[in-house]
Amino acid sequence: MTGQGPDARRAAVLGSPIAHSLSPVLHRAAYEQLGLTGWTYDRYEVDEAALPGFFAELGPEWAGLSLTMPLKRAVIPLLDEISETARSVEAVNTVVFTEDGRRTGDNTDIPGMVAALRERGIEQVDSAAILGAGATASSALAALARVCTGEVVAYVRSAARAAEMREWGERLDVEVRTADWADAAEALRAPLVVATTPAGATDELASAVPERPATLFDVLYDPWPTPLAARWSMFGGAVVSGLDLLVHQAVLQVEQMTRRTPAPLDAMRKAGEHALDAR
């Protein structure tokens, strides 16, 4: 491992599974551009049971951690404080270790989504649709609280998921109506569609893309494009990808962990694109 001098700092991404994570590629590209030659960023396979033990072994050289599933909620009891953004969805994807040893948690997925939309010129919409109701859907709702002025329709597969989404809407002060997944093709006519489902779940909807689609935010990035995103682009609609989200949330993580701004967005995106092409 490089960077063993007095200026050496460590960061990493934790989760399970973690081998697929692009975070090391993005963060290392940022360190190179910022001239942080003593910094390292690695990945560790850590599940919920192993997380407290991992934290107990961390030394003062650690600057921060990125967290993916299933750790975003499990980490909260191990922290000294969390941001309002993280508290709003009960999910932390970023931990920063302060100079006085405190562990602070934040959620950069939500502002990352907003930044990815704004990069494509989406500042505000009067309604939106969400495909799916998992953990990413709650972050999407929190992002839409900052972007959407009207109703959000969530297309879900079960009554339990529908109830969860309505509860999240109340908590986040978003007007949420739920609809059955069987009617998900109707979602594609919304001014903004956010697909939060696993790979393959929206493939059946590709044939239902309208002739003049508006904006699709598909949180997947590998494989890319999804059939839905490919069809959307073919019909001239704007598409925001999971890589856009990944890069924008990583930019915010780098800035928090290194206290250097701005993080090199373009270099990080190119590194991510090259890594995906290599796969």
Side-chain angles (χ1 to χ4, degrees), residues 120 195 199 202 216-233 238-244 273 276-277 279:
R120 301 303 171 87
T202 63
L216 171 68
F217 193 156
D218 194 327
V219 303
L220 297 173
Y221 62 83
D222 187 17
W224 186 261
T226 63
L228 179 60
R231 181 94 169 177
W232 201 277
S233 293
V239 175
V240 185
S241 74
L243 181 61
D244 295 322
E273 290 171 347
L276 287 176
D277 288 343
R279 292 181 181 181

Side-chain angles (χ1 to χ4, degrees), residues 11-174:
V13 59
L14 315 182
S16 183
I18 201 62
H20 68 287
S21 176
L22 278 181
S23 292
V25 171
L26 303 182
H27 284 251
R28 290 168 185 169
Y31 298 165
E32 182 177 355
Q33 286 290 311
L34 293 170
L36 299 173
T37 56
W39 283 65
T40 58
Y41 189 102
D42 301 294
R43 62 167 70 90
Y44 292 93
E45 181 84 16
V46 178
D47 61 15
E48 293 159 289
L51 187 61
F54 187 93
F55 263 70
E57 297 295 321
L58 297 176
E61 74 278 12
W62 283 87
L65 297 170
S66 308
L67 300 171
T68 186
M69 300 303 291
L71 305 179
K72 293 183 179 183
R73 190 162 293 173
V75 74
I76 293 175
L78 304 176
L79 304 177
D80 296 302
E81 60 183 297
I82 67 172
S83 68
E84 286 298 321
T85 302
R87 186 173 288 107
S88 73
V89 290
E90 296 179 3
V92 166
N93 78 327
T94 307
V95 176
V96 174
F97 302 102
T98 63
E99 292 180 0
D100 61 2
R102 291 177 65 78
R103 303 165 172 177
T104 65
D106 193 14
N107 185 308
T108 65
D109 287 331
I110 295 165
M113 284 185 178
V114 174
L117 286 167
R118 286 179 175 162
E119 186 179 37
R120 301 303 171 87
I122 309 300
E123 297 280 348
Q124 192 175 88
V125 293
D126 56 15
S127 64
I130 293 180
L131 300 173
T136 305
S138 61
S139 291
L141 264 185
L144 289 173
R146 307 181 185 190
V147 174
C148 183
T149 60
E151 182 182 68
V152 176
V153 184
Y155 291 81
V156 300
R157 294 185 183 275
S158 71
R161 289 292 198 183
E164 287 178 12
M165 288 300 284
R166 289 193 294 269
E167 289 173 10
W168 278 116
E170 290 178 12
R171 180 167 178 167
L172 295 163
D173 197 25
V174 178

Side-chain angles (χ1 to χ4, degrees), residues 188-272:
L188 308 186
R189 301 188 180 278
L192 172 60
V193 181
V194 185
T196 70
T197 50
T202 63
D203 292 0
E204 64 192 34
L205 298 175
S207 61
V209 174
E211 286 188 8
R212 294 178 179 171
T215 300
L216 171 68
F217 193 156
D218 194 327
V219 303
L220 297 173
Y221 62 83
D222 187 17
W224 186 261
T226 63
L228 179 60
R231 181 94 169 177
W232 201 277
S233 293
M234 187 175 75
F235 277 51
V239 175
V240 185
S241 74
L243 181 61
D244 295 322
L245 167 59
L246 193 67
V247 171
H248 277 282
Q249 65 82 28
V251 160
L252 298 170
Q253 289 184 332
V254 167
E255 291 176 351
Q256 289 190 32
M257 293 179 193
T258 67
R259 297 184 176 86
R260 300 278 292 274
T261 58
L265 172 68
D266 290 342
M268 294 168 71
R269 192 197 309 274
K270 288 177 182 175

